[in-house]
Amino acid sequence: MNEPKLLLVDDEVPFIEAISKRLKKRNFNVEMAHSGMEALERLGSGNFDPEVVILDVKMPGMDGIETLEEIKRKYPLVEVIMLTGHATVPSAIDGMKKGAFDYLMKPCDMEVLVTKVGEAVAKKRAQESKIVEARMKDIMRRKGFD
């Protein structure tokens, strides 16, 4: 299995750098962004194609819920794990309704985060595999190989 690609999005630079180092030690390919806008720019650049975005809820400017909505609108297969130090039941419900894969409290246990990321990567890869399979069936049908 190739290294899962992650995009960490948080305005707290020391936090995001520490998490990045810990994930890289576990063989994840990690990039960072310090705002919702920067995350969307990175996703749109085509230079880095993350499977999972780990996204802080509370950020200045575009907050995590707004960023989540844009990510799911533009990149529906990218899984998003919301991270917050300020979790409330309504914000968690809102994030899940808008397509978040899961919601974790900061500071989160690293093994829990790694497990959730693994589950999110597996879900994204399974969805992509189904899409490829459906496209192949369509091509075969059109070519008369049904």
Side-chain angles (χ1 to χ4, degrees):
M1 183 159 122
N2 49 347
E3 284 184 340
K5 294 181 187 176
L6 311 178
L7 178 61
L8 301 179
V9 187
D10 197 315
D11 61 311
E12 295 176 39
V13 176
F15 172 78
I16 199 171
E17 287 176 348
I19 293 290
S20 176
K21 285 178 188 172
R22 294 177 76 187
L23 288 168
K24 285 177 180 178
K25 284 182 181 176
R26 289 171 169 83
N27 298 319
F28 290 99
N29 183 349
V30 181
E31 294 283 328
M32 296 180 282
H34 302 297
S35 70
M37 287 304 295
E38 184 181 350
L40 293 171
E41 288 168 10
R42 285 187 166 262
L43 284 164
S45 73
N47 296 330
F48 186 71
D49 215 8
E51 296 170 284
V52 178
V53 174
I54 299 171
L55 178 62
D56 186 30
V57 172
K58 293 267 188 185
M59 294 183 292
M62 178 182 260
D63 71 18
I65 297 295
E66 293 170 309
T67 306
L68 167 67
E69 289 177 305
E70 279 301 297
I71 290 170
K72 295 310 278 183
R73 186 176 69 76
K74 293 179 178 177
Y75 313 98
L77 294 182
V78 172
E79 294 298 339
V80 179
I81 297 173
M82 304 297 290
L83 268 189
T84 187
H86 315 279
T88 64
V89 172
S91 71
I93 291 170
D94 193 30
M96 298 300 277
K97 281 182 181 176
K98 292 179 177 170
F101 178 80
D102 211 333
Y103 212 97
L104 300 174
M105 282 290 294
K106 280 194 223 174
C108 65
D109 179 88
M110 197 60 177
E111 292 311 312
V112 171
L113 179 61
V114 167
T115 298
K116 292 296 179 186
V117 167
E119 291 169 0
V121 167
K123 180 181 176 187
K124 181 178 189 294
R125 290 179 180 181
Q127 289 172 330
E128 288 174 335
S129 190
K130 286 179 183 176
I131 290 167
V132 168
E133 185 178 317
R135 287 180 178 157
M136 291 301 294
K137 283 182 181 176
D138 185 51
I139 290 168
M140 296 298 283
R141 182 190 50 76
R142 284 189 277 140
K143 300 266 185 197
F145 294 106
D146 25 328

